[in-house]
Amino acid sequence: MPKAKPQEQLREEFNRWAEAGKGESMEHEHWPITKPTLELMQIARSDMILDVGCGGGWLSRILSQRVPQGHVIGMDISDEMIERARQASPKFQNLEFVTGAVDEIPCDPDSFSKVISVESSYYWPDPAKGIREIRRVLQDGGSAWILINYYRDNPYCHQWGEKLAVPTHLLSADEWTAMFREAGFMKAAHRRIVDPTPAPEIYTGRWFRDAKQLAEFRATGALLVYATK
Ligand SMILES: C[S@@+](CC[C@H](N)C(=O)[O-])C[C@H]1O[C@@H](n2cnc3c(N)ncnc32)[C@H](O)[C@@H]1O
């Protein structure tokens, strides 16, 4: 049987995650690194924000409340994630969810003042193309904010690659930042966002060897890459 195309593979895999309830449970895992990122973004009440790889839409909902005079679009390649995000957000007037892939964002040029993406970019089949697309939909002076937990400079996450059912990119902070510069972004930079959540005494999940490795992973922190158009 011919292999599924990368986008179809991603759609199928993340539809499975959605059906398993991960769209909702990832809020708990990703909020400790996302909260300080929102502070750095200096969100204005009228910002127009795109949330790339929005999953179950929890962050898009938080953002929509912070931009009462603006608008938020949550986009994801998984139609099942988008369906659940819509169902969970009936009362949000300035929020919409669309199915779409980052390398062909279904939005006009210059549509957004900010773009955020949390724990999605290492799955993108062609990250450089995704970053160019993000630049296309940003307004001049707009900014992009990409949070990445799986990156080369954090040795405590490298085992994830073989556990994930879809291909991933294990890139360094410098490689991610260079892609923003090569796409034409200005002031591309990166920093670490430490996760202060204490590790449990005993770890029973499948992503880390033990509680010590999880603690080291969190202390090393997520990579935040940010840049201005
Ligand atoms: C680990 S989940 C994170 C979801 C959400 N940002 C969160 O923090 O809960 C990664 C998400 O990225 C989406 N994704 C992966 N590749 C994508 C692509 N090429 N274009 C758009 N979304 C993508 C997946 O469908 C999935 O919902």
Side-chain angles (χ1 to χ4, degrees):
M1 228 170 54
K3 266 195 162 177
K5 287 196 175 135
Q7 296 208 358
E8 187 51 26
Q9 220 186 337
L10 285 167
R11 190 183 78 84
E12 285 174 6
E13 176 61 7
F14 285 103
N15 277 352
R16 279 191 284 272
W17 284 40
E19 280 153 18
K22 289 197 191 175
E24 294 78 25
S25 66
M26 283 188 285
E27 173 171 8
H28 175 68
E29 291 158 33
H30 298 162
W31 179 239
I33 53 169
T34 306
K35 187 167 180 269
T37 302
L38 299 191
E39 280 154 28
L40 294 167
M41 284 170 74
Q42 298 187 318
I43 294 167
R45 292 168 71 78
S46 59
D47 267 334
M48 310 291 279
I49 307 182
L50 174 67
D51 178 7
V52 175
C54 65
W58 59 270
L59 173 59
S60 301
R61 287 188 286 280
I62 291 172
L63 290 168
S64 81
Q65 288 175 312
R66 297 199 181 186
V67 296
Q69 289 143 26
H71 196 83
V72 177
I73 294 185
M75 184 194 81
D76 202 285
I77 202 165
S78 154
D79 47 312
E80 197 59 47
M81 286 284 189
I82 290 297
E83 185 54 35
R84 282 160 188 260
R86 283 191 188 130
Q87 276 172 18
S89 320
K91 295 201 181 110
F92 293 77
Q93 303 293 325
N94 61 343
L95 170 61
E96 63 186 299
F97 290 102
V98 297
T99 305
V102 69
D103 46 18
E104 214 170 324
I105 299 175
C107 299
D108 291 335
D110 310 319
S111 297
F112 302 98
S113 51
K114 294 193 168 74
V115 175
I116 185 167
S117 185
V118 175
E119 272 294 272
S120 177
S121 58
Y122 53 84
Y123 296 107
W124 302 346
D126 183 347
K129 191 171 179 195
I131 290 167
R132 286 196 298 274
E133 266 295 273
I134 287 174
R135 188 176 178 280
R136 180 185 67 80
V137 299
L138 268 174
Q139 299 158 357
D140 286 344
S143 53
W145 304 80
I146 312 288
L147 259 176
I148 306 167
N149 258 333
Y150 177 71
Y151 63 108
R152 189 165 294 285
D153 316 78
N154 186 342
Y156 308 107
C157 65
H158 290 193
Q159 68 282 5
W160 293 5
E162 61 203 28
K163 294 178 190 285
L164 285 159
V166 284
T168 50
H169 302 275
L170 183 62
L171 304 177
S172 68
D174 287 341
E175 285 171 322
W176 279 110
T177 311
M179 270 193 276
F180 278 81
R181 280 196 204 102
E182 282 153 21
F185 277 92
M186 296 183 298
K187 292 190 250 173
H190 61 83
R191 60 189 286 168
R192 300 264 180 103
I193 305 282
V194 168
D195 181 345
T197 314
E201 269 182 40
I202 297 168
Y203 176 75
T204 53
R206 60 186 286 258
W207 299 104
F208 298 95
R209 194 183 52 236
D210 51 26
K212 184 168 176 279
Q213 191 182 41
L214 170 58
E216 282 166 333
F217 163 80
R218 287 181 175 160
T220 303
L223 172 67
L224 174 66
V225 188
Y226 52 101
T228 306
K229 178 172 173 181

